[in-house]
Amino acid sequence: NAGVTQTPKFQVLKTGQSMTLQCAQDMNHEYMSWYRQDPGMGLRLIHYSVGAGITDQGEVPNGYNVSRSTTEDFPLRLLSAAPSQTSVYFCASSAHREGDSPLHFGNGTRLTVT
Amino acid sequence: SQQGEEDPQALSIQEGENATMNCSYKTSINNLQWYRQNSGRGLVHLILIRSNEREKHSGRLRVTLDTSKKSSSLLITASRAADTASYFCATPFGNEKLTFGTGTRLTIIP
């Protein structure tokens, strides 16, 4: 049982490059979300989805796009990477609405933008 | 956005001792969750306590919730080296979002 799988584990980008962080879950969870974790800032919500075809913005959405074409996958796209996007990114899923149900996290993608 | 805040920011104790960390939040909630994060890994859910519950147990973990004071505590009894991790409280924001505090970094000294 894989749970939430994130790829890649590490990535280095140059300013201005674009890339997609992949997230897949095999638990048939409706709710998925992306967080970034920075030292001293805790986790901040970037985007979330309550089901296939439905996405919404979180606390820090600028510079990121998401889509949810299937229940299983929720990729996060960085359109034009900036050094301020250097962070650890976590994908999470939950069976019910996120505020009322435990989150299952992936192991993260550590992104460095130079 | 609403956010829980953990206290203390860091805690070091001897193996076998109990560890207590606290979380305060700002507005009324219907539940509060605690998570653990080992170094370099994702967060792992520990306990969810609802607003109509005052206390909840899971193994060596005990969580309390005081809605009148808008605070929660996580007690880890008989600590082990493997409990070394960061611990986060999380509270709902709106119907569909969960917000996290900045965490308590717990170190168990063997």
Side-chain angles (χ1 to χ4, degrees), chain A residues 35 37 98-100 103 107, chain B residues 31 35 37 41 50 92 98:
Chain A
Y35 290 85
Q37 185 176 33
E98 196 158 288
D100 201 37
L103 286 177
N107 280 326
Chain B
N31 71 74
Y35 289 80
Q37 184 180 32
R41 305 299 297 269
R50 301 201 181 275
L98 204 60

Side-chain angles (χ1 to χ4, degrees), chain A residues 14-31:
Chain A
K14 294 188 188 305
T15 297
Q17 288 184 320
S18 62
M19 78 158 296
T20 299
L21 280 63
Q22 302 291 345
C23 175
Q25 53 93 7
D26 62 359
M27 296 172 283
N28 202 32
H29 284 172
E30 288 295 322
Y31 290 79

Side-chain angles (χ1 to χ4, degrees), chain B residues 18-21 34 46-47 49 54-65 72-77:
Chain B
N18 295 343
T20 299
M21 54 207 85
W34 284 93
L46 297 176
I47 286 183
I49 185 166
R54 291 183 63 85
E55 190 170 305
K56 202 163 182 179
H57 296 253
S58 177
R60 294 183 296 110
L61 306 181
R62 188 188 87 174
V63 167
T64 62
L65 180 63
S72 174
S73 67
L74 171 66
L75 168 68
I76 304 173
T77 60

